[in-house]
Amino acid sequence: MLKTVHVVPHTHWDREWFFTSSRAKVYMMKDLKDVIDNLDHNIGFDRFILDGQTSLIEDYLNWRPQDLNKIRQLVKDKKLLIGPWYTQTDQFLPSGESIIRNLLYGMRYADSLGRHMKVAYVPDSFGQESSLPQIYRNLGFKKAMLWRGFSDEKTPKSEFVWCGEDGSTINVYRMACGYFIGGLIDETKLDKIMEEEPFATVVKQATTDQILYPQGSDMAPARNNLPEVIKKFNRENSDYKFRISSIEEYIDAVDNERPELNTVSGEYNIGKNMRVHKSIYSSRSDLKKMNTLLQDYLANILDPVLVIGEYFSLEYPRKTVDEIWKMMFENSAHDSMGNCVSDNVNEDIYFRYKQVKDIATSLVDVTLREISTRIKNSDDNPISITVFNTLSSMRSNVIEEYLYTPSKDFELQDYQGNKVNFVVESIIDDTEEVKGATIQLNPGDKVYQPDKVYQVKVLIDAENVPAMGYKQFYLIPNAGKSEAVTISDDKRIENEFFKVDLQTDGTFDITDKRNNYVFHKQGMLEENGDDGDSYNYSPAKEDLTVYSSDQDFTYKTRKSSLKNEIVINYNFNVPKDLTSRKEKKLNAKLPVKLTISLRKSSQIVDYNVQIDNRFVDDHRLCIDFDTGLIVENSIDDIQFGSIKRPFELTDELKSWKEHPEEWQEKPISINPVQTFTSLSNENTTFAVIPQGVREYEDIGKNHNTIRLTIFRTYGRLGKSDLLYRPGRASGDATVATPNAELHKKLSFDLGVYISNKGFEDANVGLIAKEYKTKLQIFEYAEFLNGRLIFPFNKVSRDLDQEFSLFNTNNHLVLSTLKKADQRSGYIARFYNAGFDNKQDEVKFTRKPTRVELVNLHENKIADLTINENGSVKLPNIDHAKILTLYYEH
């Protein structure tokens, strides 16, 4: 039977790679202008896919606005197909909020030009995360064209149904052998192309007589003679009818034949038929840390702070927020997020992160300041400290912060006059700098001006800070006696939940006081060689692993009523490079400082790892936690919800061992997480919450040791013949990346949450969310009004000293609270982080006028009942489900 070959002209345009985005944009001006000219004037050339990312057309129109109307007409006529993404994002490392907004920004920009492509198109991202079917369906997509991660063993046919973790399904039209296979067309062999590889496999794997021929490749220009090539194809192939087509037309043609589709479930990042770079999660660990901290900050702090600000009539800075997210989207593009790029490009990525941090933290700072300076207080308390909580339940936490005080001894009180426990960790005299920067806009005003100003690093026991709100505290100078930290050589620290004992080998034993269970050998550091590149970790072919338990160390203990910690300094002796490692030479120093801390009333053990990495090349440092738990799988979180992962990919490993020539990468079990990885039985849950690199592996005979990657280093963009990735180099083997050796001092934080309950009752998702969402503090006094924080005019103090926007029963995780994109109200997004069905309730302090259940487009699904007391019961939601709320006051 005659088969129809859908020749789809496209380009896969990496915004940056071994070239910068600036250089790529200059070349794109020419290539996209040629595309437009072809669509306008080349008869028969009437389709082109612009890689599914609208940032390209936005960049083009910023420099060539004169083509706006022409592009609008081409988009409207379905000749130039754009969107739905803003950038072609990585699927595993960006947050759920980043993924959703990337799509929303892309669709809305495309719609402003006429329309967006109605297919979730991801040609090159390194695997498929299992929250995506729900996100796609919630945004109206029923079809997806994907490639990497789906192996022919799990998906032998190109078309199938993909079921996500929550049960949402989407039809997938897999690009059988990649997006680039039709980029080069040998016009002397047009009669043989469909019978030879790779198209022989494409035809074999198709479920219908509709065949996809992606005509394009990386940064490829439009093929000007394509209409003539199509005519030649049709003359020389009697079994196939070739036509220029689009992704949407191809999918419609497949669907019209009503094929029976198999269903597959879960996440897919198997590197059998293509590379998925399943350890790219730790490439350029310093930049991965920046991404982790910033995407958490934007959704957990910035978004809700701006909503609280608008509640108090502060203007919402929509354009500024858009600019912040667009920079994050640029850094989320799969190569940029993976950091599998040149050093020059990574400098650009760093600079965008720096801009995001500067703008976002300044927005938070000015908003907290505008609220804090309006809170009622008396002249008797000229120094106020306002503590803000951006989660949906009341919190009591020990906060570490820098404050200014006129005296070394002082008190902290809440607004009701109750004393607040605090500890001074350090103090310096900052009188000259602070007083020299004070600006009194009306010098005739009588304001409090102290003789001395000290900067103090303090621990504050902030209790009962209202949900999604604030509580006012005051610093009272020249009162009481400040508690200081004591230093000793004690090998034990403890709090209400745990005892931590330093062992003679430099590891720790952690005793859970609730059941006297002892976790041995905690926090062992493990250093080994990395023969990989910017895409993949791969162990050295002749490796040498060095453990902290074999190193000399010194230690000291710091104790107070609010935090106890042990600081260990290891003097690692390690191989300087891969050659020394092969020769078993320990010829370089790797100083490592490990701090383990227990805060008052905390079920999380804090770790900080500081490394002087200036003297070692091509290596990896991990930290190991032996849980002792015998379980069947790990439980990790994904963008929205939790997933149970097998310790090993048994079938895939068997296939790799039997037929290694059929594999692009070894099917390793180094996995990414969003916020935590855990092992859990019915009585114990042990979770690791990284604040930097989010990559782990469960190792040991019973896979009960969690190995978290701290960092890794390498010196080339791509290398060939790795143990974990045999064959050609990924990327470009000629590009050196000396900056990726990270020859500098590094610091990484993580938390270990230990519960005496099973996973569901341990509420790991909620605990991890709180751990990563710090209480925010703003200190204000007239003598601080100046250059250091910019001078402000006086304002009326009319706000209450305690405030809550709303609170919940804390059954669901709050993904974010944000301003609605298209309407005047606000969006509160929740998800179920457990495996059981859950329900929650939102109790508004001020009764809202409207509450709706909405989709991710923020369009109404149903009205929700508002009770007289301002509470709203939310619908039950199942495992890994998203629930998005819209409300107005």
Side-chain angles (χ1 to χ4, degrees):
M1 185 174 178
L2 189 68
K3 297 180 184 293
T4 301
V5 180
H6 294 258
V7 180
V8 178
H10 78 99
T11 186
H12 173 54
W13 196 275
D14 292 303
R15 291 181 54 85
E16 55 195 5
W17 189 7
F18 47 87
F19 46 81
T20 65
S21 59
S22 299
R23 182 173 176 81
K25 277 194 281 189
V26 169
Y27 276 86
M28 187 185 66
M29 291 301 113
K30 178 191 183 304
D31 282 5
L32 188 47
K33 180 68 166 59
D34 290 346
V35 167
I36 293 168
D37 288 345
N38 271 294
L39 293 173
D40 257 350
H41 306 299
N42 190 347
I43 297 173
F45 197 122
D46 53 7
R47 300 287 186 273
F48 195 86
I49 315 298
L50 194 57
D51 202 32
Q53 50 177 328
T54 59
S55 59
L56 303 180
I57 203 77
E58 186 178 56
D59 288 342
Y60 179 85
L61 287 173
N62 282 339
W63 285 2
R64 286 190 60 85
Q66 64 268 34
D67 287 344
L68 174 60
N69 291 333
K70 189 178 294 186
I71 285 173
R72 278 182 170 157
Q73 191 62 51
L74 292 172
V75 172
K76 180 181 177 182
D77 293 342
K78 299 185 182 181
K79 291 184 175 182
L80 181 64
L81 290 104
I82 60 176
W85 297 95
Y86 185 76
T87 59
Q88 276 290 346
T89 185
D90 180 82
Q91 306 287 292
F92 283 93
L93 290 174
S95 67
E97 289 301 318
S98 177
I99 294 276
I100 290 169
R101 295 180 210 207
N102 195 318
L103 279 164
L104 284 174
Y105 278 56
M107 286 187 284
R108 286 171 184 158
Y109 186 75
D111 290 346
S112 74
L113 296 175
R115 68 184 297 273
H116 66 269
M117 189 162 61
K118 309 300 183 184
V119 178
Y121 177 60
V122 185
D124 198 30
S125 293
F126 306 136
Q128 313 300 327
E129 203 265 17
S130 58
S131 290
L132 269 298
Q134 179 180 197
I135 293 172
Y136 291 149
R137 290 304 297 266
N138 214 302
L139 285 168
F141 295 102
K142 296 180 181 179
K143 322 286 183 184
M145 180 168 282
L146 314 172
W147 178 41
R148 293 190 190 268
F150 293 109
S151 72
D152 59 10
E153 292 185 349
K154 297 293 185 181
T155 57
K157 291 296 183 180
S158 299
E159 294 81 39
F160 53 89
V161 177
W162 178 26
C163 180
E165 183 65 25
D166 75 306
S168 297
T169 59
I170 189 167
N171 285 12
V172 172
Y173 305 78
R174 177 170 57 83
M175 308 176 87
C177 296
Y179 60 87
F180 46 79
I181 55 175
L184 304 178
I185 302 176
D186 186 344
E187 295 184 34
T188 67
K189 298 180 179 180
L190 296 181
D191 59 330
K192 298 181 177 65
I193 284 179
M194 300 309 294
E195 275 68 45
E196 295 178 348
E197 294 298 345
F199 281 101
T201 294
V202 174
V203 173
K204 179 182 177 182
Q205 293 186 0
T207 58
T208 71
D209 291 325
Q210 308 299 318
I211 309 301
L212 178 67
Y213 191 115
Q215 200 284 298
S217 59
D218 292 352
M219 285 69 70
R223 190 180 187 103
N224 297 330
N225 72 334
L226 186 59
E228 293 303 315
V229 171
I230 296 295
K231 293 176 183 177
K232 293 179 183 178
F233 262 132
N234 284 322
R235 283 198 297 268
E236 300 189 26
N237 291 270
S238 58
D239 294 333
Y240 298 92
K241 178 177 175 57
F242 291 77
R243 54 165 295 201
I244 292 179
S245 185
S246 70
I247 291 171
E248 292 171 320
E249 290 169 298
Y250 159 72
I251 288 175
D252 286 343
V254 170
D255 289 350
N256 286 339
E257 294 194 23
R258 301 183 180 279
E260 291 187 13
L261 303 180
N262 293 328
T263 298
V264 298
S265 300
E267 63 184 6
Y268 285 89
N269 52 359
I270 303 301
K272 182 176 187 288
N273 308 107
M274 75 294 289
R275 294 179 172 182
V276 294
H277 309 302
K278 201 181 174 188
S279 49
I280 202 168
Y281 323 120
S282 54
S283 301
R284 279 307 296 259
S285 304
D286 54 340
L287 298 179
K288 291 296 196 302
K289 172 185 170 182
M290 293 184 78
N291 175 71
T292 296
L293 297 178
L294 285 171
Q295 68 180 15
D296 288 342
Y297 188 84
L298 296 186
N300 299 350
I301 306 296
L302 176 65
D303 275 343
V305 162
L306 294 179
V307 169
I308 295 171
E310 192 171 65
Y311 182 89
F312 293 118
S313 302
L314 303 181
E315 183 178 356
Y316 184 83
R318 187 179 298 279
K319 289 291 186 183
T320 314
V321 172
D322 288 348
E323 181 181 330
I324 289 172
W325 277 109
K326 284 182 178 181
M327 284 189 283
M328 290 297 286
F329 300 153
E330 290 178 46
N331 282 3
S332 295
H334 59 287
D335 290 327
S336 307
M337 177 60 73
N339 302 110
C340 50
V341 294
S342 69
D343 281 350
N344 198 18
V345 171
N346 273 320
E347 288 179 11
D348 289 349
I349 292 169
Y350 165 78
F351 184 70
R352 287 194 290 267
Y353 281 139
K354 180 180 181 300
Q355 284 184 297
V356 167
K357 181 180 179 182
D358 288 348
I359 298 170
T361 56
S362 296
L363 276 177
V364 168
D365 185 72
V366 74
T367 305
L368 299 186
R369 182 178 181 182
E370 289 201 76
I371 295 170
S372 299
T373 54
R374 286 175 52 190
I375 296 173
K376 300 170 187 174
N377 79 326
S378 66
D379 292 338
D380 295 336
N381 296 320
I383 307 174
S384 63
I385 299 165
T386 312
V387 180
F388 291 82
N389 173 14
T390 56
L391 291 183
S392 58
S393 62
M394 181 177 285
R395 297 170 64 186
S396 297
N397 291 148
V398 173
I399 315 168
E400 190 169 61
E401 189 58 82
Y402 287 94
L403 299 176
Y404 291 101
T405 171
S407 60
K408 293 182 178 180
D409 288 323
F410 56 92
E411 282 186 356
L412 296 182
Q413 298 178 0
D414 66 17
Y415 70 92
Q416 295 173 318
N418 301 308
K419 290 184 180 180
V420 175
N421 292 331
F422 70 97
V423 174
V424 174
E425 293 192 296
S426 65
I427 184 168
I428 61 171
D429 189 331
D430 226 358
T431 304
E432 185 174 345
E433 182 177 1
V434 174
K435 288 181 67 64
T438 301
I439 297 175
Q440 192 172 340
L441 296 175
N442 185 354
D445 281 352
K446 185 178 180 181
V447 299
Y448 176 65
Q449 288 286 0
D451 295 327
K452 303 285 288 184
V453 180
Y454 300 93
Q455 186 191 68
V456 290
K457 184 181 180 182
V458 294
L459 297 165
I460 303 171
D461 190 9
E463 295 185 338
N464 302 322
V465 182
M468 203 56 67
Y470 63 76
K471 185 176 181 180
Q472 186 83 319
F473 297 84
Y474 296 101
L475 188 151
I476 313 299
N478 300 306
K481 181 69 177 176
S482 302
E483 179 188 350
V485 174
T486 60
I487 299 176
S488 71
D489 60 357
D490 195 348
K491 292 186 177 181
R492 170 175 289 180
I493 58 173
E494 57 187 307
N495 69 358
E496 296 89 331
F497 297 101
F498 307 112
K499 290 186 294 188
V500 176
D501 292 288
L502 175 62
Q503 304 301 300
T504 56
D505 64 356
T507 64
F508 297 92
D509 284 357
I510 300 177
T511 303
D512 188 336
K513 291 183 176 181
R514 294 162 294 192
N515 54 19
N516 290 320
Y517 187 90
V518 181
F519 297 90
H520 298 286
K521 298 286 185 183
Q522 298 302 295
M524 182 182 291
L525 296 167
E526 176 184 349
E527 190 269 357
N528 74 296
D530 188 345
D531 192 24
D533 53 22
S534 67
Y535 292 87
N536 287 79
Y537 159 76
S538 189
K541 294 181 176 68
E542 296 185 55
D543 208 353
L544 175 64
T545 302
V546 180
Y547 295 96
S548 59
S549 55
D550 299 322
Q551 307 304 309
D552 294 332
F553 67 89
T554 60
Y555 77 96
K556 64 180 177 181
T557 304
R558 296 163 53 89
K559 292 188 175 183
S560 72
S561 62
L562 298 183
K563 186 175 77 168
N564 298 315
E565 63 185 20
I566 299 177
V567 182
I568 305 182
N569 286 284
Y570 301 99
N571 193 21
F572 270 81
N573 292 297
V574 301
K576 183 181 186 304
D577 50 31
L578 293 176
T579 300
S580 298
R581 204 168 291 274
K582 177 180 178 180
E583 297 169 353
K584 312 304 180 188
K585 293 181 180 178
L586 302 177
N587 53 0
K589 295 293 184 182
L590 183 73
V592 178
K593 181 165 79 171
L594 174 64
T595 302
I596 181 169
S597 306
L598 292 174
R599 288 167 289 135
K600 175 191 170 187
S601 303
S602 176
Q603 296 183 73
I604 292 180
V605 184
D606 296 307
Y607 288 80
N608 172 260
V609 187
Q610 296 180 31
I611 311 100
D612 186 348
N613 193 54
R614 291 176 293 171
F615 316 111
V616 186
D617 289 342
D618 299 331
H619 70 137
R620 182 180 72 158
L621 184 70
C622 299
I623 186 167
D624 298 346
F625 298 97
D626 184 354
T627 70
L629 301 176
I630 308 299
V631 294
E632 295 181 353
N633 50 255
S634 67
I635 303 177
D636 312 325
D637 73 330
I638 51 179
Q639 267 105 358
F640 294 103
S642 301
I643 188 172
K644 295 179 180 179
R645 283 185 172 132
F647 292 130
E648 288 188 343
L649 301 170
T650 308
D651 293 342
E652 288 81 1
L653 280 170
K654 180 181 178 182
S655 175
W656 157 271
K657 291 173 183 176
E658 293 176 350
H659 305 287
E661 74 283 355
E662 295 179 0
W663 283 78
Q664 296 286 318
E665 293 181 26
K666 182 178 180 179
I668 60 177
S669 292
I670 296 176
N671 291 309
V673 300
Q674 276 296 310
T675 57
F676 69 83
T677 180
S678 69
L679 298 176
S680 181
N681 61 24
E682 64 274 12
N683 299 316
T684 303
T685 297
F686 192 109
V688 178
I689 310 169
Q691 295 274 54
V693 170
R694 292 172 286 132
E695 174 189 276
Y696 79 96
E697 184 177 15
D698 293 313
I699 61 171
K701 180 180 178 181
N702 296 307
H703 300 283
N704 52 13
T705 294
I706 300 173
R707 176 200 277 159
L708 182 76
T709 305
I710 299 298
F711 73 93
R712 71 180 190 91
T713 71
Y714 48 88
R716 302 207 77 78
L717 180 71
K719 292 173 68 175
S720 60
D721 298 319
L722 308 182
L723 286 179
Y724 281 3
R725 197 196 68 217
R728 65 172 178 84
S730 287
D732 192 322
T734 68
V735 179
T737 57
N739 291 352
E741 295 288 6
L742 301 182
H743 285 159
K744 57 186 177 180
K745 294 182 179 181
L746 304 166
S747 179
F748 298 91
D749 294 301
L750 62 124
V752 170
Y753 169 51
I754 301 173
S755 172
N756 61 341
K757 301 175 183 177
F759 179 83
E760 201 69 28
D761 292 330
N763 293 319
V764 183
L766 290 161
I767 295 293
K769 180 75 172 186
E770 181 173 338
Y771 180 70
K772 294 169 75 71
T773 308
K774 306 302 183 186
L775 292 171
Q776 303 295 300
I777 281 186
F778 191 86
E779 179 187 17
Y780 188 74
E782 287 294 336
F783 68 85
L784 297 175
N785 190 26
R787 289 197 316 273
L788 298 182
I789 60 172
F790 295 90
F792 270 22
N793 288 306
K794 279 190 174 182
V795 294
S796 299
R797 290 183 170 269
D798 55 358
L799 301 184
D800 291 337
Q801 297 186 86
E802 183 172 304
F803 167 79
S804 174
L805 190 62
F806 64 76
N807 67 85
T808 70
N809 297 326
N810 213 27
H811 296 162
L812 301 175
V813 176
L814 177 68
S815 180
T816 197
L817 173 70
K818 61 181 281 286
K819 177 77 172 173
D821 290 339
Q822 306 294 321
R823 295 196 277 171
S824 62
Y826 307 94
I827 295 293
R829 188 158 22 252
F830 301 89
Y831 64 90
N832 183 349
F835 293 93
D836 294 342
N837 181 285
K838 287 184 171 59
Q839 184 182 38
D840 214 326
E841 183 179 25
V842 181
K843 290 157 277 189
F844 291 93
T845 301
R846 190 171 104 197
K847 186 178 178 182
T849 57
R850 177 194 303 270
V851 180
E852 299 171 356
L853 187 66
V854 297
N855 60 22
L856 295 182
H857 277 295
E858 304 177 8
N859 297 327
K860 184 171 77 171
I861 298 172
D863 289 310
L864 296 180
T865 301
I866 306 168
N867 298 316
E868 282 303 313
N869 62 359
S871 66
V872 177
K873 284 202 171 186
L874 304 181
N876 286 351
I877 61 171
D878 291 329
H879 161 62
K881 284 289 188 184
I882 303 168
L883 187 152
T884 305
L885 207 65
Y886 172 82
Y887 74 89
E888 295 176 2
H889 283 298

